[in-house]
Amino acid sequence: MKESIIQSQIIDYLLFCESKNKLMFSRLNNIPPVQKLANGKMCFRRLPKGVKHGIPDIMIIKRGSVIFIEVKSDTGRQSEGQKIWEKNCL
């Protein structure tokens, strides 16, 4: 199953939980990975100012605790930026 489908299902569940006032969440990785230029060519995105490489996909806040979720498919692997982010959060 594609990561985008898994993430969509997680977000559907979190939206339900949020509607019951059980938590708050935000999707953090909503910047498209590639961009179409005016000449029709594709290029990799440039992160907006302040956005860090490797930021997890979803942030959940529940009872004062923060939970980060990085969604991966069966074949997905962490990028170097994601490994650094994880290490720095511990």
Side-chain angles (χ1 to χ4, degrees):
M1 186 180 303
K2 290 174 59 174
E3 288 178 14
S4 59
I5 294 170
I6 298 167
Q7 187 176 99
S8 180
Q9 291 174 342
I10 292 169
I11 289 171
D12 287 343
Y13 175 73
L14 292 173
L15 284 167
F16 172 77
C17 292
E18 192 173 56
S19 75
K20 303 293 183 190
N21 295 319
K22 294 182 182 265
L23 54 80
M24 289 177 37
F25 83 97
S26 182
R27 180 177 170 205
L28 303 176
N29 72 338
N30 54 359
I31 305 162
V34 293
Q35 200 173 12
K36 191 171 187 178
L37 301 176
N39 62 7
K41 291 186 178 184
M42 302 298 276
C43 72
F44 286 101
R45 71 177 178 221
R46 194 169 187 156
L47 295 176
K49 188 176 185 179
V51 175
K52 308 289 189 260
H53 284 280
I55 192 165
D57 297 323
I58 300 168
M59 176 184 64
I60 301 168
I61 302 172
K62 182 175 181 177
R63 295 188 202 129
S65 295
V66 178
I67 302 162
F68 293 105
I69 297 176
E70 176 59 38
V71 179
K72 293 292 180 207
S73 68
D74 289 341
T75 58
R77 301 280 180 251
Q78 279 184 305
S79 69
E80 286 305 311
Q82 290 167 341
K83 290 176 184 177
I84 292 167
W85 182 274
E86 179 183 12
K87 179 183 171 197
N88 289 337
C89 284
L90 299 177

